[in-house]
Amino acid sequence: MSESPFTVASFIRAESESESAPRFVRRFRVPDDRGALTAATLLLTAEGVVEPAIDGRVVTPEVLIPGWTSYEWRLRVVTIDLLDRLRVGAEHEISLLVGNGWFRGRLGWMGARAVYGPHRRALAEVQLTFADGTSEVTGTDATWRVTDSAVRSDDLYDGEVIDARHRPSAARRVVVEAVDPARLVTTTAPPIVRHETVPPVRCWRDSDGAWLFDFGQNLVGWLRVRARGEAGHRLTVRHAEVLIDGVLARGPLRSARAEDVFVLSGGDDDFEPTLTFHGFRFARIAGWDEAEGTVEAVVVGSALTRTGTFACSHPTLTRFHENVVWSLRGNTVGIPTDCPQRDERLGWTGDIAVFAPSACYLFDMGGFLRAWLADLRAEQAAASGRVPYVVPDPLKGWAVRHGEQPESTAIWSDAAVWVPWALWEAGGDLEVLRESYASMCAHLDHVLARLSDRGVWEGDFQFGDWLDPTAPPDDPTAAIADPGVIATAALHRSLVLTADAAEALGHHADAQHWRSTADRVRQAFASAYVMPDGAIHSDAPAVYALAIVSGIVTGAGEAAAGARLVELVRAARHRIIAGFAGASYLCDALTHVGALEDAYALLLNTAEPSWLGPVERGATTVWERWDSLRADGSLNPGEMTSFNHYALGAVVDWMHRTLLGIAPGAPGYARVRLDPRPSAALAWAQGGLQTPHGWVALRWDRLDDGPEPGYRVRYCAPAGVELELGQVVRGCGERLSENDMRDLLSAHGQTVPLSPEVPTAGRGA
């Protein structure tokens, strides 16, 4: 914003910081001599996270306001309608409860705190408009007061302590500070909200007498506890994603305490720790025997609209797809994160770079990712064209290799290109490319300046094929795939996509420049890494998959790479020998070279490492590692062991486009490709997608009543949208009306429930 939307407000803060979350308050009167109140708006932001209330009642479903942005340059302003909350002639009290949040709380695993500043500050303005055309404004200023609150401490990693006995302390003066309007932004980001509640499916006492609650689903949010007990009695809630030997496995949280404490008032208490969040399936409550009440989990995340669905005849594969959905939901609390539970929860760029196409099928990601890309551009500009490891970036100056300065890394930094391209393909909005085009070019210019004398990207630190299952648990970069091969192939993909973006924007000279540069990189790759027999240096599945999908090998080179990839996949007995960089593209590469059944065998394998192995061991989200929980029931001993990471679920993009057969034939699905590639391994598959032009859906069934397997395909698409029909659809497809198609999909719905049946709970349950 070039001008502040606030007309009179200034930042306010407490004179000194304490553990307690401050509550800023002011009373104001709505005049009764100006006619009816026609508009009442609250403009609000904070350095911290803020919960606004009028007369003691929270006025918005949004939580964790204003979310996390690159606070140095971008602080989100929210607008809340108060018209139904205020009465003409009445006196009201506005209060702002401000927690530490991302601004002042802990960030990262290295012990950093208050990365963005030492104080929790609030900025708010109530703007009233009356029937007579006049207006009145009440903003944060020296007339406000601050008190301590019932929130005795709060932290996103460590949890929240709420004392229901608390009564407001003496009101104190506030410190007033100036606003820099250049930092204030309105964004396209959807609000963070409560999505749903999940009751426990099972509860029991542990060996210490505390109660364990299993919610049947690894989720992100907090517990809502309604309890009655003796005043001063403490309920201590701890969280974890898995149990080991009947005990919460809290080692994977590392230093995050993930503990909420509720102190009872002696009456009926409702507790919700809304200034924190946790990733968990299991919760342990100490002190529950001495209280009566109920417990439920509240699922929290950004308000994303679901657009795409998938189900098939293979229950484990369908459940895997649901696990991917849950992992995406849990890692979109304001920004796209790696994990939602340990002392990290950062916007790692590589995860969303490989996962963006999957995300854009499952949900409308336009507003969410465009807001995040604005932060990426701000961070990139401050880093002279380098895209950082994480966005927003609280790790400034930190590099993985000690003693070095941070540098661009393949796939992670390529998010500057791959994410806006995924949005363009899904939504067809050229403005997405316009917004990011300079960023895409700056990324390429920065990387191209770092190429070696051989013309390939080597020598810099690379995450490479991160978390290749052959790497030691304590060294996830030690993949069998050469990092320079991975990096150069990823660079080639970014060059080609940026050329396509330039063409779409009408920058034809730029497009030619990027294409010729891609040609030079392709030639350098062949010279540096491709052997005379077509083998690629390091001879790993990941290097062949990424080389094929990126287009850096063509013709005979592509054929040789494809043949060797098939050999390696079969030699591994269709187990996955690849990490973040390779696994996302294995099925695509196999399909591209005509090895469709090998892609299916890879997808449906349950032997470790595999996509479906964790599902068979009870996973309800996607794991960070193929063996986060090992087959013997033990935890992976590596320092990083999350059970909620969406990156290894990026294969669902292939499931949507190839197994199901719905893909964009042109950006935004202005043209739709319906080209399922069925396999005898499945009896049916179905799904639907809400595109910018309307609903597209398809179902295929295998027919076993003929001399050879055949298929029946039924589909629908919006009128006026051009269709590209694949061979199976052309041969046995039937177009239905949207209503008939919806009835068909509903009649053959998903067979795996998201929430199991829940028993009733009594005292202590």
Side-chain angles (χ1 to χ4, degrees):
M1 293 180 181
S2 57
E3 296 183 4
S4 173
F6 297 89
T7 59
V8 300
S10 300
F11 270 117
I12 57 173
R13 64 171 176 86
E15 288 185 340
S16 61
E17 292 287 347
S18 67
E19 282 291 303
S20 174
R23 188 185 298 277
F24 299 97
V25 296
R26 189 188 190 282
R27 300 193 68 82
F28 67 97
R29 184 175 181 277
V30 180
D32 58 1
D33 58 352
R34 306 186 190 182
L37 188 62
T38 58
T41 301
L42 172 63
L43 295 180
L44 177 66
T45 192
E47 293 179 341
V49 290
V50 59
E51 184 176 82
I54 295 289
D55 302 330
R57 299 186 64 181
V58 176
V59 295
T60 175
E62 184 171 356
V63 297
L64 299 170
I65 297 170
W68 189 9
T69 51
S70 295
Y71 293 132
E72 302 98 324
W73 310 283
R74 303 180 73 253
L75 185 63
R76 175 173 169 259
V77 177
V78 304
T79 301
I80 300 168
D81 186 359
L82 297 180
L83 193 58
D84 292 338
R85 306 280 182 166
L86 305 178
R87 290 183 295 111
V88 170
E91 187 174 82
H92 297 280
E93 181 185 77
I94 181 172
S95 64
L96 308 173
L97 176 67
V98 183
N100 290 302
W102 296 274
F103 191 93
R104 187 175 176 271
R106 294 180 59 199
L107 275 181
W109 62 92
M110 294 180 284
R113 188 184 297 274
V115 169
Y116 295 101
H119 300 294
R120 288 165 285 193
R121 304 197 300 174
L123 178 66
E125 193 166 281
V126 177
Q127 300 177 346
L128 307 180
T129 304
F130 298 90
D132 66 357
T134 62
S135 61
E136 184 156 316
V137 179
T138 301
T140 43
D141 59 17
T143 64
W144 287 60
R145 294 294 180 262
V146 61
T147 69
D148 292 338
S149 69
V151 178
R152 309 312 297 159
S153 67
D154 68 276
D155 187 83
L156 295 178
Y157 293 174
D158 291 337
E160 193 167 333
V161 177
I162 304 175
D163 189 342
R165 301 170 301 172
H166 176 78
R167 296 294 176 267
S169 60
R172 306 182 300 278
R173 293 181 181 274
V174 298
V175 175
V176 178
E177 294 177 331
V179 177
D180 176 6
R183 291 177 61 213
L184 303 179
V185 297
T186 55
T187 79
T188 57
I192 304 169
V193 297
R194 299 170 179 85
H195 283 290
E196 61 190 278
T197 59
V198 178
V201 298
R202 180 173 170 243
C203 49
W204 67 99
R205 281 192 182 88
D206 67 10
S207 59
D208 295 326
W211 281 88
L212 288 170
F213 294 81
D214 176 5
F215 294 92
Q217 173 63 52
N218 195 16
L219 54 86
V220 175
W222 52 68
L223 292 193
R224 177 183 291 151
V225 175
R226 295 184 171 94
R228 184 180 183 88
E230 183 178 344
H233 181 67
R234 296 167 69 90
L235 301 176
T236 301
V237 184
R238 291 185 169 184
H239 306 78
E241 295 181 296
V242 296
L243 300 179
I244 300 294
D245 297 326
V247 177
L248 294 182
R250 289 174 56 80
L253 300 176
R254 299 191 302 214
S255 69
R257 195 160 65 239
E259 177 183 283
D260 298 323
V261 177
F262 305 138
V263 183
L264 305 187
S265 68
D268 293 322
D269 296 317
D270 288 352
F271 294 103
E272 271 198 74
T274 56
L275 303 182
T276 188
F277 66 90
H278 311 289
F280 65 100
R281 172 176 171 173
F282 299 93
R284 179 184 186 270
I285 304 183
W288 191 242
D289 273 335
E290 291 76 31
E292 293 184 355
T294 60
V295 175
E296 60 185 352
V298 179
V299 179
V300 172
S302 292
L304 302 174
T305 300
R306 184 73 184 270
T307 50
T309 61
F310 171 89
C312 70
S313 59
H314 195 299
T316 308
L317 185 59
T318 300
R319 177 67 240 193
F320 170 73
H321 190 272
E322 291 303 322
N323 289 2
V324 174
V325 172
W326 274 100
S327 281
L328 178 58
R329 294 178 69 192
N331 282 293
T332 46
V333 182
I335 65 167
T337 54
D338 59 330
C339 63
Q341 73 297 90
R342 67 184 179 220
D343 55 358
E344 196 164 349
R345 314 184 197 185
L346 304 178
W348 286 95
T349 48
D351 299 56
I352 193 60
V354 299
F355 191 76
S358 302
C360 290
Y361 176 94
L362 295 170
F363 291 91
D364 179 356
M365 300 297 295
F368 180 89
L369 287 177
R370 285 177 74 175
W372 180 77
L373 284 168
D375 287 312
L376 183 149
R377 295 191 295 271
E379 299 282 3
Q380 181 187 22
S384 302
R386 174 182 61 85
V387 178
Y389 305 147
V390 295
V391 172
D393 184 13
L395 307 179
K396 290 179 176 65
W398 176 79
V400 177
R401 291 201 298 220
H402 184 69
E404 294 186 358
Q405 290 298 309
E407 253 311 331
S408 294
T409 51
I411 298 178
W412 276 251
S413 297
D414 288 307
V417 177
W418 297 8
V419 174
W421 185 260
L423 287 175
W424 162 238
E425 282 207 312
D429 185 354
L430 264 177
E431 190 60 30
V432 171
L433 295 184
R434 289 193 189 97
E435 290 170 349
S436 285
Y437 181 68
S439 166
M440 299 162 82
C441 296
H443 162 62
L444 293 177
D445 287 337
H446 187 85
V447 171
L448 291 168
R450 301 193 63 79
L451 300 188
S452 71
D453 291 342
R454 299 198 297 170
V456 294
W457 193 2
E458 59 187 352
D460 286 338
F461 165 79
Q462 297 290 350
F463 291 104
D465 194 23
W466 180 256
L467 289 170
D468 172 340
T470 67
D474 59 351
D475 188 3
T477 64
I480 56 176
D482 180 80
V485 177
I486 295 291
T488 307
L491 170 61
H492 183 267
R493 181 170 191 257
S494 288
L495 286 164
V496 171
L497 294 183
T498 303
D500 290 345
E503 202 70 63
L505 292 168
H507 305 322
H508 304 301
D510 282 8
Q512 180 56 43
H513 166 69
W514 295 125
R515 293 197 201 287
S516 62
T517 305
D519 289 341
R520 290 198 301 273
V521 169
R522 184 166 59 251
Q523 293 164 9
F525 180 91
S527 176
Y529 295 131
V530 181
M531 312 305 169
D533 63 354
I536 298 176
H537 176 60
S538 69
D539 196 38
V543 301
Y544 293 107
L546 198 53
I548 292 167
V549 170
S550 71
I552 205 167
V553 291
T554 59
E558 180 188 277
R564 183 55 180 155
L565 175 61
V566 171
E567 289 177 357
L568 291 172
V569 167
R570 291 175 180 173
R573 301 189 303 280
H574 296 98
R575 292 173 299 142
I576 300 172
I577 311 301
F580 273 29
S584 302
Y585 305 108
L586 284 172
C587 288
D588 265 317
L590 289 166
T591 304
H592 185 76
V593 299
L596 179 68
E597 289 306 317
D598 289 290
Y600 269 99
L602 196 69
L603 178 69
L604 298 176
N605 199 356
T606 58
E608 187 179 296
S610 64
W611 284 294
L612 300 191
V615 184
E616 290 208 331
R617 296 206 295 279
T620 62
T621 42
V622 180
W623 296 351
E624 178 177 23
R625 298 175 182 265
W626 301 110
D627 62 345
S628 287
L629 187 67
R630 293 184 158 178
D632 63 4
S634 63
L635 286 172
N636 185 294
E639 180 191 15
M640 309 175 313
T641 305
S642 160
F643 294 88
N644 199 347
H645 255 69
Y646 53 62
L648 292 180
V651 69
V652 302
D653 179 46
W654 180 86
M655 292 164 58
H656 302 147
R657 289 183 292 102
T658 305
L659 191 163
L660 175 61
I662 297 177
Y669 295 83
R671 184 171 67 253
V672 175
R673 182 180 301 119
L674 298 178
D675 187 16
R677 304 290 299 277
S679 167
L682 300 179
W684 58 267
Q686 67 175 36
L689 175 65
Q690 186 65 42
T691 77
H693 301 279
W695 193 58
V696 176
L698 184 146
R699 177 185 170 93
W700 61 258
D701 293 89
R702 190 182 72 233
L703 305 177
D704 297 323
D705 54 357
E708 294 184 4
Y711 296 95
R712 181 185 185 188
V713 178
R714 286 163 287 182
Y715 63 92
C716 77
V721 170
E722 181 183 351
L723 300 181
E724 293 180 16
L725 303 182
Q727 181 179 353
V728 175
V729 183
R730 290 197 306 270
C732 52
E734 176 188 2
R735 186 167 186 166
L736 303 181
S737 70
E738 180 173 326
N739 287 339
D740 287 346
M741 196 69 200
R742 290 188 183 277
D743 289 343
L744 175 65
L745 266 59
S746 297
H748 299 84
Q750 190 167 321
T751 58
V752 179
L754 289 179
S755 299
E757 289 296 317
V758 180
T760 57
R763 179 184 174 90

